[in-house]
Each structure stands twice: as C-alpha cells, then as structure tokens.
Amino acid sequence: MSEAKRLHPVSILFDLIFSVRQFILPIIIGFFSFRNDSLVYYLLALAGLLLLYFVIAIIVWYRFTYRVVDDELRIEHGVFVRKKRHISKNRIQSIDLTSGIIHRIFHLTKVEIETAGTGMEAEASLSAVKRAEGEALRRELKSGDTGAAVNDELDNETSEQPERPHSAISPKRLFIAATTSGSVGVIIVFALTGFSQFEQFIPEETFKSTFNWAIGLGLVIIITLAVLFLLLLWLLGIAGTIIKYGKFTITRNEQELFITRGLLEKKQITIPLRRIQAIGIQETIIRQPLGYVTVFAEIAGGSMDRGEDFSSILFPIMKEEEVNDFLAVFLPEYAGVDYDLRPLPKRARKFYMLRASWPFLLLIAAVGWLFLKFIWIPVVLLVIGGIGLGWLRHRDGGFKVTGKRVTIRYRGLLSRNTVLMYHKRIQAYEKKQHKLQKWQNLATANFSIIGTMGAGTHFTVKDLAVSDTHVLSDWYSRQRTRTDN
C-alpha cells in the first residue's frame, strides 16, 4: 500500500455535518430571532456559509492522503500549511473500525489508530474508507498479528484461523441490561440542560400562561403527566442501550481482546492485553438485587472518544456467579474473584453517614428557611438518601490481598464496584489521614494506576483501620522490592 490514497468522497459529507453540528445551537436561535423579511436574508446568509463550508471540505478532502511505507503509516494533510505525520507500526497499540449508518450504506468504515501517547483524540483517524480497504490497512499495520483474521470471522468472512474463545450477549440479557441500565437519569440531565438553554428564548407571557395552565390541571393530573414523562424517558433509555450494545460480541486472541457492538453504529474495538491495568465488576443499585453485574476494564492510554465512559465494557451484563467463568476464558489471570473481603471497622460508619448526609442537611436548612411546611420532604430524603446511602457505602467497603493481587470494593453514588489490580500495574499507593480519622484510628487508602490519556486513575477506600492500611503498605512495599530484585 505504498501508493498515496485519498479518503472516500463521502468524507466530505462528514466534514460538512461536523461543521454544521458545531453551530447548530446558534442556527436554531437564528430561526427564532429573525422574523419576516429579515428571515429571508438570514436563510440566504446561512446558505452562503454552507456553500463555503462545502467548498472548504472538498479542498480538505483533496489535500488529505495516506499510505503505508517502510513499516509506518504516513499521512499528509493541510490546505495552506502542509503537515506530515509518520506513525510507526511499533507504536500502534490498537486499530478500531467504526461503521455508522452512512458508512454502512456505502460499505465504508472509519479507521481509528491509537498509540501509547494518544491524548484527547485518536492518534490518526481516517473518517471514511472502503470496508475492504480498512481491513487491508489494519492487516498491513498489524502484520504478523492474527487480530484482523479474528475480526474477519466476526464479519462472517472466510478465514482459516481456528475458532477462538468468544461470547455474545443474548436478546434476553440485552433487554435486561436495557431495562436496568439507569440511563434515564442521564437523559433527564440532558433534557434539563437543553431546557435551560432555550428557556431564555421563550416569551415571558407564554411561560407564565403555560405555568398557570399546568397549575390549573390539578395535582393528580400533574403527577400522571410526570409519570408518563418519566416512562417516556425510560423507554428512550432502553432503546439507547439496545442500539449501543446490540450484537455485542467479545473474542480473545493470543494478545488482544476484540469487541464488536452496535446496531446503528457498528464498532470494533481492539484491547491489547498488556494495556489492561485493572478489572472491575460493577453492580448498580437496580441490578444488585437481581444478581446482575457489568464487567469492565481500565485501559492504559487510549483516547476519550472510545465512547466507554473512560473504561472499556468487557461485557454489559451477566450473573455474578458467571464472572469467574468469563474471566477464566478471556482473562485467566484475573479469575478466582473472592467477594469475601475484610470489612471496614464499625466505628467508620458514622463518617460514611455524615458524608452522605451533609447535602441533605443543607437542603433542610434552605427549605426550613423558605418553605417550612414542606420541610418533611428533605427530612425523608435525609433518612433514605443520606443515612441509608452512608450505611450501604460502609457495609460494602473492604479489601483483600491475595498474593500479588489486591481486591478492593467501594460504593459510588449508586453502584458498588469491585476492582482487581495486580501489584505490577499499581503506580502508587498512598495512605491519608485527617484529624478526625486520627482520633478514631482510621485512615484512607488510595491506589493509582495509569488510565485514559496516560493520566492517573485512582481507587479509594475510605476509613480503613490504620492496621489495615499498614497491611496494604507492607504488601505494596514488599512486592515492589521483589520486583526490583
């Protein structure tokens, strides 16, 4: 592939869509701001800008070329200033293929190349190439590796490679994952954010009349509408999860894991085993009573645009008792998860409850000052959300050292996380202690590993007994000494 090649012409459309998306909010505001004759001039100006962006996109596409020469990928781009980027095969960590709706219509794919030094974005991105050409480019850049062959099997293409360990999500499990994902909260946040952006453009009279109309409906009707609205958001969350994780399949090669997922946008993600820093088991507050968990991996390096919320989901949902069998097949060194951890001391419970309760205490003070008759609402929230959450966090916290591996467990806002780390992956161990902890003979343990973009990812267990932090400190120092020797 020494001959310079250009991207597929469809990439011009992608560049144009990206440019328009950056200014979508001002464009929408313009439609509300201009009226009558001024709207015509606004539309003409908008059409002129779109034409200008289209011409620029054509020039950018024509000036972008790529080729593979002397074991490196060479990319040349730039309109006025010509830029050249050389990426050696030896530096390439992973090559991911993504096919959105438009890609699949034209049998194209997007190629994203990541190296050890990848930052906010992929080291190199080819927005639109022929599917076969993308596969050929991956084989060329990963020559001597059987990764491409495994992905060819996932695409139902002929391959002479032996069958490798793989697992796929069933429709039943996918539906359970969608209905218990808790993504409705994220949708509500986005909806409120969007409303706050457009609220300033709603006429005050319209806003007041709508508010008075809603009040006049009565409490029962308002509650019914609120329930229907939440149900709609829940259904949207279900659809989003099914679209994102539909046809999820994970396959293991000798040195890599390959993940394929997505109904509308098909993604193929490559995870080199050497870049896995920790394995996590997450139980949301909804899934935990049902016995379902999500298995994820913390990956060193990589970019923020992998779409996995800074971690890579190894399997969206499975039964807790299935985790060890799953790890034994795909990551045998992490198999043998032991959930019988050393618990936190009972004297630490009050600190967990206090930390979880202080936002509700502030809310009680505010409501008591402004709306005294409704003070029972934040009090109930304090009991359920503050004291209850603090009790759960204390009960779930703990750790266990097994040979060269440490297992820690903590609860975030709504999810309980069990994380397995090997000593060689831990970059630093830190013990912290404030005055109140010192008074109660407690301390906080913090483990740091390499995370996304090469930055640190930290796992913390608060309010351990000081003797337990000494155990962890001795383990970390002893293992490091053995490694140095």
Side-chain angles (χ1 to χ4, degrees):
M1 197 177 293
S2 60
E3 180 183 353
K5 295 188 176 182
R6 291 187 175 87
L7 301 177
H8 193 276
V10 171
S11 64
I12 299 174
L13 177 61
F14 292 146
D15 290 340
L16 185 62
I17 293 174
F18 177 79
S19 299
V20 172
R21 190 173 60 183
Q22 301 300 309
F23 301 98
I24 189 65
L25 184 59
I27 291 174
I28 295 175
I29 293 174
F31 278 104
F32 288 99
S33 302
F34 293 94
R35 293 287 188 272
N36 302 327
D37 294 339
S38 58
L39 181 60
V40 176
Y41 293 109
Y42 171 75
L43 293 176
L44 290 175
L46 186 61
L49 287 175
L50 288 175
L51 179 60
L52 177 62
Y53 276 116
F54 182 68
V55 173
I56 293 175
I58 292 176
I59 297 174
V60 170
W61 166 80
Y62 184 79
R63 296 281 287 174
F64 188 102
T65 61
Y66 67 96
R67 58 178 176 169
V68 178
V69 180
D70 297 333
D71 291 336
E72 64 182 13
L73 174 64
R74 298 182 182 181
I75 296 176
E76 298 185 15
H77 62 101
V79 178
F80 299 106
V81 178
R82 196 67 171 164
K83 299 178 182 178
K84 298 182 179 181
R85 176 179 294 179
H86 295 188
I87 304 174
S88 173
K89 286 184 180 181
N90 297 328
R91 292 184 55 234
I92 294 176
Q93 299 287 336
S94 64
I95 302 175
D96 299 340
L97 303 183
T98 304
S99 298
I101 298 177
I102 300 178
H103 287 97
R104 298 172 79 169
I105 292 175
F106 294 95
H107 304 287
L108 305 175
T109 189
K110 178 181 179 181
V111 182
E112 293 180 296
I113 299 170
E114 294 187 350
T115 64
T118 296
M120 295 288 290
E121 299 178 352
E123 183 73 18
S125 180
L126 308 180
S127 60
V129 299
K130 284 290 187 180
R131 180 75 186 184
E133 194 170 313
E135 293 285 356
L137 179 62
R138 180 166 58 182
R139 283 193 293 268
E140 180 71 16
L141 295 177
K142 296 177 69 65
S143 56
D145 198 333
T146 57
V150 174
N151 279 280
D152 288 345
E153 289 181 13
L154 296 176
D155 293 330
N156 297 321
E157 296 178 7
T158 58
S159 174
E160 297 181 358
Q161 295 293 329
E163 183 178 357
R164 301 186 181 277
H166 68 279
S167 181
I169 190 169
S170 65
K172 179 181 176 181
R173 288 286 175 89
L174 179 61
F175 179 75
I176 295 174
T179 53
T180 60
S181 64
S183 56
V184 62
V186 179
I187 297 177
I188 291 176
V189 171
F190 276 108
L192 293 176
T193 303
F195 177 77
S196 65
Q197 295 294 326
F198 287 100
E199 180 185 4
Q200 55 184 323
F201 301 103
I202 301 176
E204 185 176 354
E205 294 182 0
T206 303
F207 186 84
K208 287 183 178 180
S209 61
T210 303
F211 180 78
N212 293 330
W213 170 80
I215 295 298
L217 291 176
L219 183 60
V220 175
I221 296 179
I222 292 177
I223 293 176
T224 302
L225 292 176
V227 171
L228 292 175
F229 177 70
L230 292 176
L231 178 61
L232 175 62
L233 295 181
W234 181 58
L235 293 175
L236 290 176
I238 292 176
T241 301
I242 291 176
I243 291 172
K244 181 178 181 180
Y245 291 112
K247 297 183 179 180
F248 186 100
T249 303
I250 180 171
T251 304
R252 167 163 177 152
N253 185 32
E254 293 180 358
Q255 301 298 328
E256 294 170 320
L257 296 176
F258 298 95
I259 295 175
T260 301
R261 64 169 176 81
L263 294 180
L264 297 182
E265 182 183 62
K266 184 177 179 180
K267 294 183 70 72
Q268 290 187 346
I269 301 172
T270 305
I271 303 177
L273 297 180
R274 64 180 179 274
R275 289 176 59 188
I276 295 178
Q277 305 299 300
I279 295 298
I281 303 164
Q282 184 180 76
E283 305 164 79
T284 66
I285 199 168
I286 300 176
R287 293 177 180 174
Q288 188 176 344
L290 302 176
Y292 287 103
V293 303
T294 297
V295 181
F296 65 92
E298 292 292 339
I299 311 298
S303 61
M304 290 184 63
D305 55 4
R306 295 180 71 94
E308 298 293 345
D309 302 325
F310 305 103
S311 302
S312 290
I313 302 298
L314 297 185
F315 211 84
I317 189 169
M318 66 175 61
K319 281 288 189 178
E320 183 178 336
E321 58 267 22
E322 298 172 352
V323 172
N324 276 322
D325 292 337
F326 174 83
L327 293 177
V329 173
F330 294 96
L331 294 165
E333 62 273 24
Y334 286 96
V337 182
D338 190 350
Y339 296 97
D340 185 17
L341 309 183
R342 182 178 298 187
L344 300 175
K346 293 182 179 180
R347 61 183 181 275
R349 184 177 299 152
K350 54 181 171 291
F351 291 105
Y352 277 86
M353 291 184 175
L354 181 61
R355 276 192 294 267
S357 299
W358 73 263
F360 299 100
L361 294 174
L362 295 178
L363 183 60
I364 289 175
V367 174
W369 177 263
L370 299 174
F371 310 100
L372 184 59
K373 63 180 180 179
F374 295 109
I375 197 170
W376 62 272
I377 297 177
V379 171
V380 172
L381 293 177
L382 170 65
V383 175
I384 299 176
I387 298 177
L389 180 60
W391 181 82
L392 282 176
R393 287 178 173 175
H394 174 266
R395 186 198 66 176
D396 293 334
F399 78 97
K400 186 169 188 177
V401 172
T402 307
K404 297 181 179 180
R405 189 172 79 186
V406 62
T407 303
I408 66 171
R409 186 172 62 205
Y410 63 93
R411 179 176 288 277
L413 181 60
L414 295 175
S415 301
R416 184 172 74 173
N417 300 286
T418 304
V419 181
L420 293 76
M421 295 175 287
Y422 275 91
H423 180 273
K424 63 181 180 180
R425 302 298 187 186
I426 300 174
Q427 301 297 308
Y429 167 76
E430 181 182 13
K431 167 194 167 185
K432 296 183 290 185
Q433 187 180 44
H434 54 68
K435 290 184 178 180
L436 290 179
Q437 286 180 323
K438 189 174 183 180
W439 172 57
Q440 290 289 302
N441 200 28
L442 301 172
T444 295
N446 183 76
F447 297 89
S448 301
I449 61 175
I450 300 176
T452 305
M453 300 185 299
T457 297
H458 309 282
F459 300 102
T460 302
V461 182
K462 297 180 179 180
D463 303 320
L464 286 166
V466 171
S467 58
D468 288 338
T469 61
H470 290 164
V471 170
L472 291 171
S473 180
D474 293 342
W475 170 80
Y476 180 74
S477 301
R478 184 170 61 253
Q479 293 294 333
R480 184 176 58 182
T481 301
R482 291 178 179 177
T483 304
D484 295 339
N485 292 335

